[in-house]
Amino acid sequence: MRIHTIIRSAVLFPGESERWHTHKYDFIYIQSDHAVHIHVNRIQVELNDKTPGLFQSSHGPFSIHNKNSRPVTLQGIKFTCGINMPRDFYLTDFERTPFEALLNEETPNENSCSRIIKLLQPMNKPPQTPNNRERIDPRLIQLNRYIRKNYNTPISLQELADYVGVHPTYLSNTYSKVFKISPILYLNQLRMKAAVELMEDNGLTIKEIAESVGYNSVPQFSLIFKRFHAMTPSQYRKHSVTPPPS
């Protein structure tokens, strides 16, 4: 792991913006004591004192905007580690302890760096080699295809378990061990990606978008959307979607 920059305290005044220069595959960890808006790659995310962010740059600058009426204090780490995530990768729900430890250390500690690597490795999609595939239960591969094909329909863990003929707990544990992600989290990732794309269509209501990606309940859709994007669907559309020409 190579650390390029550690920012332990940077003040951003009301209405100000700041740009951090990044290279492709740079990781950026950032936390703030108040709400800030992040623009990176093709996404916009709102962070706050309880929601830090972890991003990997794929193109363009990393921009931070303070839309509050008060100054905000930022802390951040820019680093590379040889791990390349999917395009537009970012997280707002993750273990922040190793990053905070690194920010508090005068000299970067190898243990903190190792913990960050261990955090990132399971999120990186492993290469699918023939030997790798041979060790995977073919039912799990079949289930993965089923989720990708049917993510936009109401699906429960019980239904997924019934599809491959196992107990839900066994399925969740086995799937997570093989793919480093639970089947429901993978399902929600696909749904959230589709939801963001549908947000561009201002003719669709939030309810219609929720139903289009497999949710029968708008509150449930909004709750999960906020976990992924740190804002509600309505807030995301307001801040991130270009309004139609008048």
Side-chain angles (χ1 to χ4, degrees), residues 104-122:
N104 292 325
E105 295 163 358
E106 290 187 11
T107 303
N109 184 287
E110 185 176 337
N111 181 53
S112 298
C113 295
S114 297
R115 290 169 64 193
I116 291 173
I117 297 296
K118 288 180 180 179
L119 174 73
L120 292 172
Q121 282 177 333

Side-chain angles (χ1 to χ4, degrees), residues 185-199:
L185 179 54
Y186 178 57
L187 172 65
N188 283 328
Q189 281 186 348
L190 294 175
R191 287 172 168 176
M192 290 301 107
K193 181 179 179 181
V196 165
E197 293 174 356
L198 291 173
M199 287 284 180

Side-chain angles (χ1 to χ4, degrees), residues 223-242:
L223 178 64
I224 295 174
F225 190 96
K226 189 170 184 180
R227 287 178 186 169
F228 275 79
H229 299 285
M231 62 180 78
T232 65
S234 297
Q235 290 170 335
Y236 183 92
R237 172 170 271 177
K238 179 180 178 182
H239 292 295
S240 307
V241 177
T242 303

Side-chain angles (χ1 to χ4, degrees), residues 84-142:
N84 300 335
M85 296 296 190
R87 191 175 183 182
D88 297 336
F89 165 86
Y90 75 94
L91 292 173
T92 55
D93 184 11
F94 59 96
E95 176 55 56
R96 62 196 288 182
T97 306
F99 297 97
E100 291 179 333
L102 201 56
L103 286 168
N104 292 325
E105 295 163 358
E106 290 187 11
T107 303
N109 184 287
E110 185 176 337
N111 181 53
S112 298
C113 295
S114 297
R115 290 169 64 193
I116 291 173
I117 297 296
K118 288 180 180 179
L119 174 73
L120 292 172
Q121 282 177 333
M123 303 176 194
N124 186 28
K125 187 178 180 181
Q128 292 289 343
T129 63
N131 289 336
N132 199 11
R133 285 187 177 272
E134 288 173 7
R135 293 194 295 268
I136 298 177
D137 187 330
R139 292 177 299 177
L140 295 181
I141 297 175
Q142 183 180 2

Side-chain angles (χ1 to χ4, degrees), residues 151-154 191-192 195 198-199 204-222 233:
Y151 71 87
N152 58 346
T153 63
R191 287 172 168 176
M192 290 301 107
L198 291 173
M199 287 284 180
L204 292 175
T205 65
I206 300 301
K207 184 175 186 294
E208 289 171 332
I209 292 173
E211 292 174 346
S212 296
V213 297
Y215 296 99
N216 291 326
S217 163
V218 172
Q220 182 194 22
F221 169 65
S222 297

Side-chain angles (χ1 to χ4, degrees), residues 1-38:
M1 176 174 170
R2 182 180 179 185
I3 298 174
H4 300 290
T5 309
I6 295 180
I7 299 173
R8 294 187 168 88
S9 180
V11 177
L12 196 60
F13 290 97
E16 285 190 344
S17 298
E18 184 169 319
R19 283 191 170 194
W20 293 357
H21 179 71
T22 60
H23 293 96
K24 192 173 183 179
Y25 304 131
D26 280 349
F27 281 97
I28 304 100
Y29 169 82
I30 184 169
Q31 61 185 43
S32 170
D33 60 351
H34 294 292
V36 291
H37 291 264
I38 306 297

